[in-house]
Amino acid sequence: MKEETFNKWFNAFILLGMAVALIITTAFKLGGTQTGKTLLVISAFGSLMGILSSIFSANAKIWTFFFGLLDVSIYGIMCFINWKQGGSGLGNAILHMLYFVPMQFIGFWQWKKRGTDSSDKLKARRLSTKKRVLFTSLFVVSSIVAYFILAKFDKSAADSYIKVAVVLDVLPLICNIFGQLLMSTAYMEQWLFWIGVNIFSIAMWSVSLKSGDSSFAIIYVIKYSFYLINSINGLRIWLNISRPEAGLQK
């Protein structure tokens, strides 16, 4: 099967699979709860926008920023509500509203500056060995600093030597920051961070789902499960388009 044909079928699978799963889950949850129905529907809509953004991003299409703006705005609000209801998510709420929302505009400008539009693919590049070491070091240091900051102010986390709820908040937060930065500057390594975001986010929302803190947690467990599948495919695509023979840029 040709690469282009495979990608079309894969994208259709991700989009339709996500849509069907969200419709069934949302309908089931709506019938079984008397509260939080509006938030449930909004979460489902935001998740669909997010999967569209993720698909366009994996295929290096600039439309990713339009759908991404809708996704990150809704998700930031949902994370804040989840935190207010006693769950985790404060770090992700701050991240999405103060970082991700403006980064959609910055990323759009950067991709346009690099010569892409709604129909052309962006030329991807890879980090040098020196930059990979630098990003890895910054990731570790940033995660530690963010943990101690959120552990001090996040009252929703139980007191213990290591606050698991804060850890599950910090790791996707820092992965998101690095992933968005590398995405906006067209580096292949963004997908390593997106894979991390998806794994840690599944864990975070699974904890909220198990504890019953959130009426819309199941939506995000489904969302990030599909994100994880798509991010693996995104890594595959970007490994190919960032090869030196494909026009690697330093």
Side-chain angles (χ1 to χ4, degrees), residues 124-129 131-132 135 175 178-179 182-183 186-195 235 238-239 242 248:
R125 52 184 176 171
R126 300 183 185 182
L127 293 173
S128 64
T129 301
K131 288 182 178 180
R132 288 182 181 181
F135 268 82
C175 283
F178 282 86
L182 292 173
M183 173 188 172
Y187 281 103
M188 174 276 297
E189 285 80 5
Q190 62 168 296
W191 293 103
L192 299 177
F193 289 102
W194 291 139
I195 289 173
L235 176 61
W238 280 61
L239 279 170
S242 65
L248 178 63

Side-chain angles (χ1 to χ4, degrees), residues 155-173:
K155 303 302 181 181
S156 65
D159 290 329
S160 61
Y161 184 72
I162 296 180
K163 298 181 178 181
V164 177
V166 176
V167 172
L168 293 178
D169 202 6
V170 165
L171 290 178
L173 185 155

Side-chain angles (χ1 to χ4, degrees), residues 216-234:
F216 49 82
I218 184 61
I219 295 294
Y220 290 113
V221 172
I222 295 172
K223 169 184 175 178
Y224 283 103
S225 295
F226 276 95
Y227 271 23
L228 179 58
I229 298 173
N230 188 65
S231 62
I232 294 173
N233 188 53

Side-chain angles (χ1 to χ4, degrees), residues 17-18 20 23 38 50 86 100 114 116 138 150 153 173 216 218 222 227 244 249:
M18 178 75 166
V20 170
I23 290 172
T38 300
F100 258 102
R114 299 177 68 84
T116 189
L138 287 174
L150 289 182
F153 294 102
L173 185 155
F216 49 82
I218 184 61
I222 295 172
Y227 271 23
Q249 302 175 38

Side-chain angles (χ1 to χ4, degrees), residues 18-32 40 44 215-220 222:
M18 178 75 166
V20 170
L22 284 176
I23 290 172
I24 293 175
T25 303
T26 303
F28 178 78
K29 293 288 288 184
L30 285 174
L40 190 65
S215 63
F216 49 82
I218 184 61
I219 295 294
Y220 290 113
I222 295 172

Side-chain angles (χ1 to χ4, degrees), residues 54-176:
S54 183
I55 290 173
F56 280 117
S57 176
N59 290 273
K61 299 287 188 177
I62 201 169
W63 276 99
T64 181
F65 298 107
F66 171 75
F67 294 104
L69 179 60
L70 295 172
D71 173 41
V72 298
S73 298
I74 293 173
Y75 187 70
I77 294 172
M78 293 301 106
C79 283
F80 180 75
I81 293 174
N82 189 62
W83 173 71
K84 289 289 288 183
Q85 293 177 345
S88 58
L90 176 62
N92 269 296
I94 295 173
L95 167 73
H96 280 72
M97 299 310 296
L98 299 184
Y99 176 72
F100 258 102
V101 169
M103 280 299 288
Q104 301 310 303
F105 297 98
I106 294 174
F108 180 85
W109 174 72
Q110 285 288 330
W111 280 34
K112 289 287 288 185
K113 186 179 179 180
R114 299 177 68 84
T116 189
D117 59 31
S118 60
S119 61
D120 294 332
K121 285 186 177 180
L122 184 71
K123 290 183 179 179
R125 52 184 176 171
R126 300 183 185 182
L127 293 173
S128 64
T129 301
K130 183 178 180 180
K131 288 182 178 180
R132 288 182 181 181
V133 173
L134 175 62
F135 268 82
T136 301
S137 300
L138 287 174
F139 174 78
V140 173
V141 173
S142 300
S143 297
I144 294 174
V145 172
Y147 171 80
F148 283 108
I149 292 175
L150 289 182
K152 182 177 180 179
F153 294 102
D154 195 335
K155 303 302 181 181
S156 65
D159 290 329
S160 61
Y161 184 72
I162 296 180
K163 298 181 178 181
V164 177
V166 176
V167 172
L168 293 178
D169 202 6
V170 165
L171 290 178
L173 185 155
I174 302 301
C175 283
N176 264 311

